[in-house]
Amino acid sequence: MKITKAVIPAAGLGTRVLPATKAMPKEMLPIVDKPAIQLIVEEAVRSGITDILIITNRGKGLIEDHFDRTPELEHNLSSKNKTEMYNTVVDISKLANIYFIRQKETKGLGHAIRCAKSFVGNEPFAVLYGDDVIIGENPACGQLIKAYDEYGLGVLGIKEVPENDIHKYSSLKVQNLHDNIFKCTDMIEKPQTKEEVLSLYSILGRCILTPEIFDILDHTAPGAGGEIQLTDAMRELTKLRGMIGVDYEGTRYDMGNKLGIMKAQCEQALKHPEIGNDFKKYLIDLAKTL
Ligand code: UTP
């Protein structure tokens, strides 16, 4: 079955980026001039996704506004013949069919995904984490969809993380099938001891899930941090059917922590057509003073 639906969980509290995220969703933090969530929606669309459900909560109205029309701004831009910017602004509202639902309590990523049940129905679907931006020629979500088409199983976007950091992430038991494609047979969220670490491969930012995940989430108990963890439900799906891991191409930026935000800003500013050259000169001069 062709994958056309995606879910973007964006209902987290963003406590690691406070106070910036007190009133503004972290998913709206810009990378130069585009909010993170727009880059994520664009990646989904480039991967063949037509319908996107964004999971929000109180105080995330800015996300809805960003994908809506803005008559006053559009009128202002068109009356001043700023055609290029007018098109840029209008095109955002035409990217895909975008729907919103609220996660009424912040009970974890697994709980957020459970909110997508009626939107998804009985189809496989993509999940793009709202604070993970992945930049690359070949959209990461599309790379996972290709693996789903090949194996007909749920697919995890995976990358190796530094040994010292694995306790903050999930850890996967994997076996290489070919190239960057792995079979995953077990996983654990936030391993606390060395013995619990299955490998340094972790699920980072993207996955393809089959609808069985909703029945599993119905009985998934709170796990690490007292949250209903998607990893715990995916572990059960893995035991039931197995899952595929794709060590995807592309640069991932974690917009949920301060250093990740600054790396994204800096690297993408260097590539920006309008300010790239000036920013590079500025950075070289600045580096000399460090
Ligand atoms: P994180 O664990 O990074 O989000 O979840 P968080 O809770 O906002 O982070 P901190 O620790 O407080 O800084 C990964 C993704 O899952 C979403 C987040 O919005 C993020 O995109 N999420 C998390 C939900 O939608 N609902 C939740 O209950 C938790």
Side-chain angles (χ1 to χ4, degrees):
M1 186 181 268
K2 194 169 162 4
I3 298 180
T4 58
K5 289 182 181 172
V7 176
I8 304 181
L13 296 177
T15 56
R16 285 167 296 158
V17 203
L18 282 168
T21 48
K22 185 182 172 200
M24 185 182 67
K26 63 177 164 182
E27 295 79 12
M28 286 298 291
L29 289 166
I31 298 183
V32 190
D33 51 8
K34 270 190 198 179
I37 197 157
Q38 184 184 334
L39 290 158
I40 294 170
V41 166
E42 287 174 353
E43 178 198 320
V45 171
R46 287 200 291 138
S47 306
I49 298 293
T50 55
D51 291 78
I52 299 174
L53 177 72
I54 302 181
I55 318 269
T56 65
N57 61 6
R58 284 170 296 282
K60 302 259 180 176
L62 273 183
I63 300 179
E64 296 186 30
D65 291 347
H66 188 72
F67 293 101
D68 197 358
R69 295 291 296 265
T70 45
E72 206 175 302
L73 174 65
E74 289 168 24
H75 177 72
N76 177 290
L77 293 170
S78 67
S79 66
K80 290 178 181 155
N81 288 324
K82 294 185 176 171
T83 314
E84 203 180 322
M85 190 44 73
Y86 171 88
N87 290 334
T88 301
V89 164
V90 173
D91 286 351
I92 298 169
S93 60
K94 296 182 186 163
L95 279 168
N97 300 317
I98 301 186
Y99 305 83
F100 298 91
I101 194 167
R102 282 187 178 200
Q103 181 190 15
K104 297 193 180 76
E105 290 173 277
T106 313
K107 288 187 175 174
L109 183 55
H111 182 259
I113 296 302
R114 177 64 182 74
C115 300
K117 184 175 179 175
S118 59
F119 166 79
V120 166
N122 200 25
E123 298 174 29
F125 63 103
V127 178
L128 298 92
Y129 298 17
D131 56 355
D132 273 320
V133 172
I134 302 171
I135 307 274
E137 278 288 303
N138 189 1
C141 178
Q143 296 173 47
L144 270 59
I145 291 176
K146 194 164 164 255
Y148 173 82
D149 292 342
E150 191 178 345
Y151 293 94
L153 295 172
V155 184
L156 307 163
I158 64 172
K159 290 238 164 256
E160 280 187 297
V161 302
E163 196 171 350
N164 288 340
D165 289 340
I166 189 73
H167 66 282
K168 296 187 221 159
Y169 296 91
S170 56
S171 169
L172 311 180
K173 187 170 179 187
V174 286
Q175 175 197 334
N176 186 250
L177 293 175
H178 66 89
D179 306 298
N180 60 341
I181 308 289
F182 295 77
K183 170 121 189 133
C184 174
T185 51
D186 202 0
M187 63 185 75
I188 179 170
E189 182 66 29
K190 298 188 177 53
Q192 291 307 306
T193 62
K194 271 204 164 134
E195 291 67 44
E196 282 182 343
V197 174
L198 302 168
S199 79
L200 295 181
Y201 273 106
S202 185
I203 305 162
L204 290 186
R206 304 287 180 266
C207 58
I208 306 293
L209 296 173
T210 48
E212 291 110 323
I213 199 75
F214 296 113
D215 292 337
I216 299 174
L217 281 167
D218 279 343
H219 62 248
T220 304
E227 296 192 343
I228 297 176
Q229 295 287 352
L230 184 59
T231 308
D232 293 342
M234 292 196 291
R235 179 171 191 267
E236 201 173 320
L237 190 60
T238 303
K239 296 281 173 196
L240 197 71
R241 296 190 178 279
M243 289 187 88
I244 298 297
V246 176
D247 187 349
Y248 55 78
E249 289 165 22
T251 309
R252 168 184 168 268
Y253 298 111
D254 181 356
M255 298 297 285
N257 78 69
K258 298 177 190 79
L259 188 60
I261 295 167
M262 292 319 298
K263 284 182 186 171
Q265 296 280 10
C266 201
E267 291 179 21
Q268 294 307 310
L270 285 169
K271 292 186 188 156
H272 195 280
E274 195 183 313
I275 62 159
N277 284 339
D278 287 345
F279 185 66
K280 186 175 173 184
K281 280 186 208 134
Y282 162 78
L283 210 55
I284 290 170
D285 287 344
L286 181 70
K288 286 179 194 152
T289 69
L290 300 178

